[in-house]
Structure formats: C-alpha cells, structure tokens
Amino acid sequence: MKAIRYSQYGSPDVLELVTLDDPVAGPNEVRVRLKAAGVSPIDAKLRSGALQPHFSLTFPKIPGRDGVGVIDQIGEGVAGFSIGDEVCVAADPTRSGTYAEAIVCASTRVVKKPPDLSTAQAAALLQPGVSAWISMCRTAMLSEGMSVLIHGGAGAVGGQMIQLARHLGLDVTTTCRAENIDYVLGLGAHRAVAYDRDDFGLLGHVDVVFDLIGGETHARSYQVLKAGGQLVYLTAMPFENQAEKYGVTVTRAMISDAPEALHAVAQLAVEGVLIPAVMSTLPLAAAADAHRQFEAGHVSRGRMVLNMEAGG
Ligand SMILES: NC(=O)c1ccc[n+]([C@@H]2O[C@H](COP(=O)([O-])OP(=O)(O)OC[C@H]3O[C@@H](n4cnc5c(N)ncnc54)[C@H](OP(=O)(O)O)[C@@H]3O)[C@@H](O)[C@H]2O)c1
C-alpha cells in the first residue's frame, strides 16, 4: 500500500510517500481499505513535536486521525461488522494513522459510514464531531434556550458545534473572520462577530463560551459570560484562570474516541444534524502541502481531505 509517514519530528518536509506491505488485522481488529483521510490540526501538531509532552510516538509514524473506507479483513472476535462495510475510522493518535491506503485498528474505533455523506464529508466527520459532541453534550451543562458563544465557527470543530448547538435549541453566536460571516450564518448561527473587525467583548452576556482559540480570546471571554456562566475550552495553551474573579466555571473538554461519542456523532450525521465541511480535496501524495497550508493559517471552512483514489 501507499502511505505517508515520518521518522522524526520536524517541518512538513519530514513527510514522505512510501510503499509498505498491507497491515494484517489481529484479534478484535479490522482492516479498512481507505478512500480518504481528513487532515486535522493534531496531525500537524504531532508531526512538529509540539505535543511531545502529551503523546509518545513510535517512529516511523503514519499520521492521520480521521478516515473513511471499506472493511476488507476482520480479525478474530469482531462482532457487528462484515467485509464490504463502509466505515469511518477514528485512528489512535499514537498508532498508525489514516494517511495510507489501508489501516488496521480496533473495531471499537470504526462506525458505519452515514450513507448520505460523501466520501470527503465522511473523512471530515469524527475528529471534529467528537470534539464538538464531548464539549457540548458531556462537558457543558446545557439546556434548551441557553445562549452560547462559539469561537472559531468557521473551523471544522466550530462548524459542527454550530450545527449541534442549533439541534440542541440554543441561541448561537459565533466568531470568525469577516469574510466568513455569511458562511457561519449558513451553518445555522443566529449571529456572528468578525474577530478581525469587531469586538466580541461588546456582546451581551451569554450562558456558555466554547473556546477553540485560547490566548487573548480566552482572556476576553470572561467579560461576556453571565455570572454563573461556563467557559469550556479545547486548547492546551496555558492561561490565567479567572473563574473566581468572574464567578464562572472553567472546564477543559477532555476529548477521547469513546465508542459512545463515535456512535452519537455518526447517528447525528445519519439524522442530517451534522454535515461536515470540506475545504478542499488533495491526493494522498500532497500531504506535506496540506500541512504547509495548515501551518500558514490558510485552512478555513472545514477540513482538507486527502483522497487515496486520486492516486498516490
Ligand atoms: N483538545 C483537544 O482534544 C482538541 C480537539 C479538537 C480541536 N482542538 C483544537 O481546537 C482548535 C480548532 O480545531 P479545528 O479542527 O476546528 O481547526 P480548524 O478547522 O483549523 O479551524 C480553526 C479556525 O480558527 C479560526 N480562528 C483563528 N483565529 C481566530 C480568532 N481569533 N477568533 C475566532 N476564530 C479564529 C479560523 O477562522 P477563520 O477561518 O474565520 O479565520 C479557523 O477557521 C485547534 O487548535 C485544535 O487543535 C483541540
């Protein structure tokens, strides 16, 4: 099979296209013949070495958290899947990833592909969807009618958060760059504030802020929270916790690929609630270019997706 891999931390230049033997499914594992892989921020952060304090990698490493394909081998002890099933894959960040023509992973890391999603949409579903779902359905304490501010609504996670928030009956404000205002309103946000033009600090108070950005955005979010409000964050950046000063709670969403989360996200996609956004599709061999685009800040309005069928 063709695959992208790296043997040391570094710039996107460490990514190389190689030909490897197909992996073999062991007990409780499936092999998925991959059609496409989503390019997530964590793929680039792992490759650069920025996440060394949090994840221990074994080299050589195939990157890629998200993928979609067809099961073509089933290990002993696997129930509920058949050869030929189309599935979405949530790859373990510390093991072989989805930038490859095939992957072997635990059967608990795959869910049936929602039939109405395209291949590219399905490759962009799970990592952002699970991040949105755990933040909103397992971390924040939400009830219908609450007001939320979602920072980064034009990103892959923020976009699915907007869709999920509307499904939960919330009043949704989001931040994005000025040129993406119409885009996030189209995803379902009730209103949007351009972070490169306007001051979200002038908003009225909201019940919950979801912070995907950190830094100055985190620091200024306290001002827009009601007393007793909640700030839920997903970034690993250090910050000054001002919860006591403002009388709010500050909680990190602990994102994991729990089967409960994978199945909830897949079901929401089946129901048409979550429709992942795809910014562009590239051939597998362009993985290094995709990481360069991410690091240059050129990724917006959803995921870049690597297409195995376009040829390595
Ligand atoms: N802790 C975890 O487990 C976990 C899980 C998932 C994601 N994350 C983190 O969450 C972040 C978002 O993930 P993602 O996949 O959605 O990334 P993404 O698709 O690359 O989107 C990032 C978005 O951030 C927006 N942005 C940049 N600066 C902003 C600002 N000052 N105010 C508001 N929006 C701003 C950009 O919006 P415009 O395009 O409008 O400029 C961009 O669309 C990443 O840092 C990721 O690593 C963490």
Side-chain angles (χ1 to χ4, degrees):
M1 67 170 185
K2 296 243 173 52
I4 299 291
R5 69 177 191 185
Y6 56 102
S7 299
Q8 62 185 81
Y9 296 116
S11 76
D13 295 343
V14 300
L15 297 175
E16 52 176 0
L17 180 67
V18 293
T19 302
L20 304 170
D21 291 338
D22 281 347
V24 176
N28 303 313
E29 292 179 332
V30 293
R31 185 173 70 195
V32 180
R33 191 65 50 188
L34 289 162
K35 296 180 179 178
V39 177
S40 301
I42 189 175
D43 303 343
K45 293 177 185 179
L46 282 169
R47 188 220 70 236
S48 72
L51 297 181
Q52 285 183 69
H54 307 285
F55 295 95
S56 167
L57 299 186
T58 306
F59 293 128
K61 159 85 179 135
I62 298 175
R65 288 271 286 136
D66 261 330
V68 62
V70 176
I71 292 181
D72 74 345
Q73 195 178 65
I74 294 187
E76 211 179 300
V78 172
F81 292 102
S82 307
I83 290 186
D85 282 349
E86 277 203 284
V87 290
C88 296
V89 179
D92 183 333
T94 63
R95 301 193 55 192
S96 280
T98 53
Y99 293 13
E101 289 177 329
I103 185 172
V104 157
C105 66
S107 62
T108 50
R109 289 187 162 277
V110 301
V111 289
K112 301 254 172 78
K113 173 188 168 289
D116 290 343
L117 296 187
S118 69
T119 297
Q121 287 171 329
L125 174 67
L126 289 181
Q127 192 269 348
V130 163
S131 302
W133 187 83
I134 289 178
S135 301
M136 294 190 142
C137 298
R138 287 292 178 269
T139 310
M141 305 289 283
L142 296 171
S143 55
E144 198 173 339
M146 276 184 163
S147 53
V148 298
L149 170 61
I150 298 166
H151 287 302
V157 176
Q160 291 202 41
M161 277 189 171
I162 293 171
Q163 295 170 344
L164 183 54
R166 286 302 305 268
H167 176 67
L168 296 172
L170 306 173
D171 180 84
V172 183
T173 304
T174 191
T175 56
C176 61
R177 75 179 79 159
E179 68 189 48
N180 284 334
I181 296 265
D182 286 346
Y183 169 75
V184 296
L185 294 178
L187 291 176
H190 292 99
R191 64 199 71 77
V193 179
Y195 69 77
D196 52 353
R197 189 185 63 197
D198 301 323
D199 179 5
F200 75 82
L202 299 177
L203 286 169
H205 290 107
V206 297
D207 293 298
V208 186
V209 173
F210 292 96
D211 177 23
L212 307 173
I213 308 300
E216 174 81 355
T217 300
H218 175 103
R220 293 174 52 239
S221 290
Y222 290 94
Q223 302 158 25
V224 298
L225 276 170
K226 292 178 184 171
Q230 308 163 54
L231 200 170
V232 173
Y233 68 99
L234 281 96
T235 68
M237 288 166 67
F239 61 86
E240 186 194 350
N241 188 324
Q242 301 183 65
E244 207 170 316
K245 177 175 165 191
Y246 285 91
V248 300
T249 60
V250 177
T251 315
R252 180 171 184 184
M254 300 308 293
I255 309 306
S256 78
D257 297 329
E260 173 202 35
L262 299 178
H263 286 281
V265 167
Q267 181 57 31
L268 286 163
V270 168
E271 292 167 14
V273 173
L274 295 179
I275 305 173
V278 175
M279 180 184 98
S280 59
T281 304
L282 307 163
L284 176 64
D289 288 342
H291 280 211
R292 285 186 198 101
Q293 285 192 57
F294 168 73
E295 289 178 357
H298 294 161
V299 177
S300 186
R301 303 190 179 201
R303 284 279 181 263
M304 288 180 288
V305 169
L306 301 174
N307 181 0
M308 299 357 152
E309 296 175 317

